[in-house]
Amino acid sequence: MSPTSKPTSERTPLLADSQVPSRNSTDSLRRAEQEDAAIHGTPLPASTTRTRTVRELLLFAWALLATAGVIVLAVVLQHRNSTTTPPAPTDPVPIIPGDPGTGTPYPSISSAPKKDRKRNLIFMVSDGMGPASLSLTRSFRQHVSNLPIDDTLVLDQHFWGTSRTRSTNSLVTDSAAGATAFSCGRKSYNGAISMEPGYKPCGTVLEAAKRAGYKTGLVVTTDVTDATPACFASHVGYRWQMDEIAMQEIGEGVLGRSVDLMLGGGRCHFLKNSTAGSCRQDDVDVVEIGKEKHGWGYVDDRAGFDSLQMGKNVSLPLLGLFAERDVPFEIDRRHMNDVYPSLSEMAVTALKALEEATKDSEKGFFLMIEGSRIDHAGHINDPAAQVREVLEYDKAFKAVLEFIEKSDTEGVLVATSDHETGGLSTAWQAPNELPVYNWHPEVLLQANASAEYLAILLQQHIIANPAEGQQKLQEWIREDLVEKRLGIRDALEIEINALASNPLAALNIFSKMVSIRARIGWSTHGHSAVDVNVYSSGGPGTEEIRGNVENTDVGGFLRRYLDVDVEEITRELREKMVVDVEVAEGNEEKVGDEVHPKEWFVDVDGLVGY
């Protein structure tokens, strides 16, 4: 540092030049006159100094008169105020949302909730949805509907901040640890279902809400015993203890029944293993136990769902299991609407049912809604399935906002993701090619079925036609699956041959065929550590989850908004619950498997980067 330079402070802009001496206004004016004369090749006028002196004297005199006038005016106003009755005090003018005076570019619309006021809280989870999923879906929607470039999703219009997602034992969380952060407000290990490290159960916001007199509900498009819903109503060492999770969800845990309404898939875990469609490891009939011991009503098909009349004809508690395992991807479900309800239909039904059940109560309700299969589309790397899942989630999000707006009861919606899945990128560079600054949503539009559904059709066809030759099989794959259902008419021989010779890898081959043509990239079939978005309707207390927060901060907000004692539930669980550590430790080696089908992760030699 030179003797004449000045040290920069931490607040000094990086581009500030500390060696340039400061100049006053007179110096600046003189330098400007000199530069102007040099540019035009004319000498500086001799009268410049004299003219400048006269100008400065005139400005000084004007400033003196103006100052005197201000002083006289202030004296007059002070005298008038002291001799007149002061006006009644008024409320200060509110700061306009988005005004720089708020210190934030976001609407400042929240305050602490009043403790004695009835309220509803809806928490939505977009499992596996990262920021790139929103960009992908937004552009896809604009293309499909011929919308302007500034048209956005409903989610975009309620962006609130971002959330950090790591678990206690990994920078990349799984859904169980992610959901435990929401339900318990505590970090835990991958695989934990509302358990802290050391297999210590932690109370959940749903359990505490039920204890405090709220009605509670869970709505998902996956198995209701899957990680996210399980973390709100059960406690086991690891997520694949789904038979035990089912038992606790209906009320067989130490706390009794905490859930009033469950809608989703996963019927196989509630049927005894001697029943068709069961996947339990024992002969326990969970549905019957729920009916006889805990008073559950039960529906298991589209007709049963329709009988609920979108929530107007519901008696709680109600268990609705509309799929053996997962509800199909929305891209497929829309063609099976007479069999499976959609996420938005189940969400609206739950909202209405819980509203009716609490209309005469001093308490409202807590409802968790999960767009579960966004995550599955990410695991499979299927962009055509994912955009339809995000659009349906956006539709459900809008339905919740409309419910809150129309309701006479105070309500808040908070939504976020547990993690990102797939390492999605809206760009893909082929090996040995220069980058292409574009991607092609029309490729996703042409696909009318998921890679998952096509893989099932392929396997069913092979089983039904065991004597069919390879040539015939390849022709059927090209015409019926690739061209008719994916809309791909330039399939390569290597792709068709791979599908015919290795049908177990078909899931990833179909996905790759779509992704490459759309120029969409994926970095993994698992999760990533990227921060995820937080969305909200706004409302009392929501300012505390503005900006970049931990996922446990979201969980902390849920309990504070409802004003429930989660720690009391934790103490009770630790007093009463006996955790089978041997069983828990026996499951520890499965961490990372995520209990997803192995074929999701199969790759094929010769097809990587073709």
Side-chain angles (χ1 to χ4, degrees):
M1 181 180 293
S2 66
T4 58
S5 65
K6 297 180 180 179
T8 58
S9 72
E10 293 179 357
R11 296 182 182 273
T12 303
L14 292 177
L15 296 181
D17 190 344
S18 62
Q19 298 187 19
V20 178
S22 63
R23 308 188 190 105
N24 58 33
S25 61
T26 303
D27 291 335
S28 299
L29 180 62
R30 184 183 301 113
R31 182 177 291 270
E33 291 171 343
Q34 292 170 347
E35 290 175 352
D36 187 62
I39 289 171
H40 292 89
T42 60
L44 192 66
S47 61
T48 300
T49 303
R50 184 182 306 158
T51 302
R52 184 167 57 250
T53 301
V54 173
R55 184 190 306 137
E56 290 175 351
L57 287 172
L58 290 173
L59 289 172
F60 175 75
W62 178 86
L64 189 63
L65 290 172
T67 302
V70 170
I71 293 172
V72 171
L73 180 62
V75 171
V76 171
L77 290 175
Q78 183 177 10
H79 175 72
R80 180 180 298 175
N81 290 339
S82 64
T83 58
T84 58
T85 303
T90 59
D91 293 333
V93 177
I95 297 176
I96 299 172
D99 189 291
T102 65
T104 170
Y106 306 107
S108 182
I109 58 176
S110 67
S111 58
K114 297 180 180 179
K115 290 191 174 185
D116 59 348
R117 191 168 180 175
K118 183 176 180 179
R119 70 203 75 173
N120 299 323
L121 176 59
I122 299 95
F123 178 53
M124 295 186 69
V125 179
S126 45
D127 197 323
M129 186 178 79
S133 298
L134 271 294
S135 178
L136 183 83
T137 306
R138 186 187 311 116
S139 296
F140 173 79
R141 179 172 173 269
Q142 290 169 358
H143 173 80
V144 169
S145 303
N146 195 27
L147 299 170
I149 61 174
D150 59 351
D151 184 87
T152 58
L153 300 170
V154 179
L155 285 161
D156 292 321
Q157 299 160 33
H158 293 82
F159 176 76
W160 213 249
T162 57
S163 169
R164 305 184 293 274
T165 63
R166 68 159 298 167
S167 66
T168 58
N169 66 337
S170 178
L171 289 172
V172 180
T173 190
D174 82 325
S175 296
T180 295
F182 302 144
S183 63
C184 293
R186 302 189 184 192
K187 292 281 189 180
S188 196
Y189 56 92
N190 284 3
I193 299 295
S194 293
M195 286 276 187
E196 290 189 85
Y199 309 118
K200 299 175 182 177
C202 52
T204 76
V205 62
L206 182 144
E207 292 165 337
K210 180 63 176 176
R211 180 69 58 84
Y214 290 87
K215 293 296 183 182
T216 62
L218 300 171
V219 172
V220 300
T221 51
T222 187
D223 191 320
V224 296
T225 65
D226 204 9
T228 302
C231 280
F232 285 87
S234 65
H235 306 269
V236 296
Y238 284 95
R239 57 180 297 174
W240 26 88
Q241 296 173 250
M242 298 169 100
D243 288 354
E244 173 61 22
I245 291 169
M247 292 290 284
Q248 292 188 31
E249 285 181 333
I250 64 159
E252 285 295 284
V254 296
L255 298 177
R257 181 177 63 79
S258 294
V259 192
D260 294 300
L261 176 70
M262 282 193 289
L263 303 177
R267 188 168 55 240
C268 69
H269 289 288
F270 291 78
L271 305 176
K272 58 183 179 181
N273 63 6
S274 57
T275 305
S278 172
C279 58
R280 287 190 67 84
Q281 300 299 307
D282 56 36
D283 202 34
V284 175
D285 192 330
V286 183
V287 171
E288 283 305 310
I289 293 174
K291 288 179 179 179
E292 296 176 6
K293 191 172 178 180
H294 301 286
W296 285 90
Y298 178 60
V299 291
D300 64 354
D301 56 17
R302 181 74 208 210
F305 178 80
D306 290 342
S307 72
L308 305 178
Q309 300 177 23
M310 299 302 288
K312 298 175 184 177
N313 184 37
V314 174
S315 296
L316 301 180
L318 175 71
L319 175 64
L321 302 176
F322 308 111
E324 186 175 305
R325 293 182 184 270
D326 300 322
V327 174
F329 283 120
E330 182 61 22
I331 191 174
D332 305 316
R333 189 214 63 81
R334 60 186 178 167
H335 303 301
M336 313 172 194
N337 193 51
D338 59 335
V339 181
Y340 305 100
S342 66
L343 175 65
S344 57
E345 287 178 303
M346 290 191 288
V348 170
T349 297
L351 289 167
K352 184 61 177 176
L354 293 172
E355 180 184 47
E356 286 292 314
T358 57
K359 63 183 179 181
D360 298 322
S361 171
E362 294 181 357
K363 297 287 186 179
F365 63 80
F366 170 74
L367 174 63
M368 192 285 292
I369 302 171
E370 183 188 35
S372 319
R373 304 219 65 198
I374 300 171
D375 172 68
H376 294 181
H379 279 295
I380 299 169
N381 293 176
D382 185 346
Q386 180 156 111
V387 291
R388 273 77 170 199
E389 289 300 307
V390 176
L391 284 173
E392 178 61 21
Y393 180 80
D394 192 61
K395 182 178 179 180
F397 185 91
K398 180 181 180 181
V400 175
L401 288 174
E402 291 173 347
F403 171 84
I404 291 174
E405 183 178 352
K406 295 175 183 177
S407 177
D408 293 330
T409 302
E410 175 192 296
V412 163
L413 165 61
V414 172
T416 189
S417 304
D418 46 0
H419 53 77
E420 191 273 347
T421 303
L424 171 65
S425 172
T426 50
W428 177 76
Q429 182 178 349
N432 304 315
E433 286 186 6
L434 293 174
V436 175
Y437 284 66
N438 204 0
W439 74 274
H440 309 298
E442 63 271 15
V443 175
L444 309 189
L445 176 60
Q446 291 164 3
N448 58 54
S450 69
E452 179 182 74
Y453 183 59
L454 296 185
I456 292 171
L457 291 180
L458 176 57
Q459 292 172 21
Q460 290 176 343
H461 180 86
I462 291 173
I463 292 172
N465 300 275
E468 186 176 46
Q470 280 291 100
Q471 185 62 34
K472 278 283 189 182
L473 176 59
Q474 289 180 21
E475 290 175 1
W476 180 81
I477 291 172
R478 181 183 293 276
E479 295 173 6
D480 203 72
L481 300 184
V482 175
E483 294 183 358
K484 179 180 176 181
R485 300 176 190 273
L486 287 185
I488 294 175
R489 302 191 178 279
D490 61 349
L492 304 176
E493 286 298 324
I494 189 175
E495 295 170 322
I496 302 301
N497 290 340
L499 287 166
S501 61
N502 194 351
L504 291 179
L507 197 64
N508 283 331
I509 298 172
F510 285 128
S511 296
K512 190 182 289 287
M513 290 174 71
V514 174
S515 294
I516 286 177
R517 286 165 176 80
R519 288 200 169 270
I520 291 169
W522 305 87
S523 65
T524 178
H525 282 290
H527 299 170
S528 74
V530 70
D531 289 358
V532 295
N533 291 348
V534 178
Y535 304 91
S536 180
S537 61
T542 53
E543 283 298 318
E544 65 185 74
I545 51 173
R546 284 281 197 195
N548 183 256
V549 299
E550 281 290 343
N551 52 9
T552 49
D553 294 330
V554 176
F557 166 78
L558 301 181
R559 67 170 71 180
R560 285 190 293 276
Y561 177 75
L562 292 177
D563 188 31
V564 295
D565 191 347
V566 175
E567 297 310 314
E568 177 189 359
I569 304 298
T570 299
R571 289 190 292 271
E572 183 175 343
L573 285 168
R574 294 186 182 181
E575 290 174 4
K576 297 180 178 180
M577 188 172 178
V578 177
V579 179
D580 192 330
V581 176
E582 185 176 341
V583 171
E585 291 179 343
N587 281 284
E588 192 168 354
E589 63 186 31
K590 297 181 182 178
V591 174
D593 289 352
E594 281 263 321
V595 298
H596 296 315
K598 295 293 184 184
E599 55 266 28
W600 284 12
F601 312 108
V602 174
D603 228 325
V604 182
D605 293 339
L607 285 183
V608 179
Y610 65 93

